[in-house]
Amino acid sequence: MKKLMNYIGGELIAPQSGNYFDNYNPAFGEVYSQIPDSDSADVELAVKAAEKAFPAWSVTPASERSKILVKIADLIDDNLEQLALAESIDNGKPLKLAKIVDIPRASHNFRFYATGILHNHTAAHAMEDTAINYTLRHPIGIAGCISPWNLPLYLFTWKIAPALASGNCVVAKPSEITPMTAFLLSELCIKAGLPAGVLNIIHGTGPKVGSAITSHKDIPVISFTGGTKTGEEISRVAAPMFKKLSLELGGKNPNIIFADCDFADAVKTSVHSAFSNQGEICLCGSRMFVERSIYDSFVRAFVESVKGLKVGDPLEPDTRVGAIVSKQHYEKILSYISLAKEEGGRVLCGGSKIQLDGKLSGGWYIEPTIIEGLSYNCRTNQEEIFGPVVTIMPFDSEEEVLGYANSTRYGLASIIWTQNLKRAHRVASKLHSGIVWINCWLLRDLRTPFGGMKQSGVGREGGFEALDFFTEEKNICVKL
Ligand code: NAD
């Protein structure tokens, strides 16, 4: 069975302990590879390799760094089929989604930051003939990058690319639930000629590898994407060490549908925003609020569309909902469906696990589920489920729906459907979330900063902000 390896100092090596644990294919519920069970000894080796590489990488001209990172992007494109297949097998997501979203975006992340550094600039402020103030930005040193399982290569590269482009060396940890594409990326980095030690990828669990990264005294900057509870733990460790922190955390996003929406578009896109990637996207609209005058007709159309989604083998081209990423997560989602019923919810469609046939019989599948009849403040409507489960309820006024939408501890994303221009902007400005989509979902220019409000995160990723995040800023004033 294939054993993954850590990528340290430019080489693929086994974990120091020699220990491994199982990697599951969620479509079959079977072990298909072995993951290094790394620990602080491996992180220490990676830090040493990164320290050795930093003096040269940090002064490598931007044009040279750019060439190497563009080469990595090219190699991702050249290996799209293999990477998409690996990601689908590792994660359970439809292969088609991995091919059109995850892997192209991973290459785009590298290309965006590789070319971004060629055009980035810093400010200068002239005080007439008295003085000039100018800003210098230097790479910080070793960046720790920790990512989750839902969009494995996409989110991993979104951290690594700006960190490397800014001239830092990186010690990175992909999720132990979906490590395969990060492993394949390490092979591509070797092919691309990335100098040894510039990027180090350590596989293993959060408590062993993740915490060794966040608590390491020589890693002064941490970029983390994952659950709010883990973010809390990382802050507890890293904040007293005065590390620079970026935290991208959970969401419980409202999807608000006004009566004057483009009905067909709102139904179609809401199916995507609810159930893409099995609902395992932090930006999914999992709480739907529909204006009462169209509530019944919208629910009818939405339920009918959702019933048509094919749940099945992630590798089949017509599959729209694949397998849930792990047994533990599958059980968590099912427990929330039970909770919703206990809280008085009525299941309009789905609501159960699915037992598929043949090789898929051991896989973890759940029907796309729509639940109505719940109060806005019950646990089902307040806690992140992160699966193919949405709630739906009517509202009568803007004020009322804003109260529902803003009632959770999260503030990641919101969606509004209306053709009333004034209302769209008015409601968008009052929603407590880092991103608001009006009449669309998941559309984003990479130059736009990204991040959440409230307990959905601290700091912003994306755009040139990410290049700034991975640098330390010095402001110099020179008297003329
Ligand atoms: P998670 O928090 O369990 O794990 C994320 C990563 O942190 C993994 O690599 C894990 O090994 C590591 N980790 C776990 N414990 C750690 C510790 N003590 N110290 C350091 N690292 C540790 O999250 P997950 O289950 O992998 O991902 C799902 C969550 O991620 C959801 O809450 C989702 O909303 C969130 N998410 C947020 C965004 C965003 O941009 N805001 C994007 C994707 C996913």
Side-chain angles (χ1 to χ4, degrees), residues 89-343:
I89 292 172
D90 227 18
N91 174 277
K93 71 178 60 203
L95 175 60
K96 196 171 158 194
L97 193 70
K99 265 190 202 173
I100 60 174
V101 176
D102 296 59
I103 307 305
R105 173 62 190 270
S107 119
H108 196 32
N109 288 338
F110 270 105
R111 213 175 290 286
F112 179 83
Y113 286 109
T115 50
I117 49 169
L118 301 177
H119 309 287
N120 206 7
H121 61 270
T122 55
H125 304 282
M127 298 168 71
E128 289 72 43
D129 58 356
T130 312
I132 300 171
N133 297 255
Y134 63 93
T135 303
L136 280 184
R137 289 192 172 276
H138 296 296
I140 302 176
I142 305 175
C145 297
I146 302 174
S147 62
W149 49 258
N150 62 322
L151 300 166
L153 195 61
Y154 169 140
L155 290 172
F156 195 57
T157 51
W158 202 19
K159 300 179 174 309
I160 290 171
L164 295 175
S166 315
N168 300 278
C169 291
V170 171
V171 175
K173 187 194 109 51
S175 169
E176 63 274 36
I177 299 170
T178 53
M180 190 57 87
T181 44
F183 170 69
L184 296 174
L185 177 71
S186 45
E187 295 183 329
L188 298 183
C189 289
I190 295 171
K191 263 197 199 160
L194 188 68
V198 167
L199 170 64
N200 303 276
I201 300 176
I202 314 293
H203 295 277
T205 65
K208 284 189 189 173
V209 178
S211 64
I213 292 174
T214 45
S215 63
H216 200 290
K217 65 176 181 32
D218 298 321
I219 301 183
V221 50
I222 303 286
S223 170
F224 170 80
T225 301
T228 295
K229 199 158 181 295
T230 316
E232 209 176 291
E233 169 63 12
I234 289 175
S235 302
R236 197 185 60 73
V237 174
M241 299 174 82
F242 301 103
K243 296 194 179 204
K244 207 169 177 187
L245 267 182
S246 161
L247 302 170
E248 296 295 345
L249 309 175
K252 187 76 178 172
N253 311 306
N255 178 8
I256 302 170
I257 296 137
F258 287 97
D260 63 357
C261 66
D262 175 331
F263 191 90
D265 196 7
V267 171
K268 185 167 170 244
T269 308
S270 295
V271 173
H272 292 303
S273 65
F275 299 111
S276 287
N277 207 45
Q278 301 70 248
E280 296 165 337
I281 299 182
C282 55
L283 303 165
C284 278
S286 55
R287 294 180 296 145
M288 297 177 59
F289 303 106
V290 184
E291 195 164 2
R292 197 176 298 277
S293 59
I294 60 159
Y295 184 77
D296 290 340
S297 53
F298 186 90
V299 167
R300 246 192 327 275
F302 183 62
V303 168
E304 197 185 309
S305 295
V306 172
K307 280 185 175 161
L309 294 176
K310 184 186 160 196
V311 182
D313 186 347
L315 303 187
E316 290 293 329
D318 58 342
T319 292
R320 293 286 306 281
V321 178
I324 302 299
V325 74
S326 69
K327 184 152 195 282
Q328 195 190 11
H329 192 55
Y330 164 82
E331 281 164 0
K332 176 188 151 185
I333 296 167
L334 291 174
S335 78
Y336 269 104
I337 296 175
S338 303
L339 173 71
K341 289 177 188 161
E342 280 164 30
E343 288 184 320

Side-chain angles (χ1 to χ4, degrees), residues 76 99 105 132 212 226 263 288 301 337 373 394 397 401 408 446 458 464:
I76 293 175
K99 265 190 202 173
R105 173 62 190 270
I132 300 171
F263 191 90
M288 297 177 59
I337 296 175
S397 70
V401 78
T408 73
L446 283 195
V458 177
F464 288 108

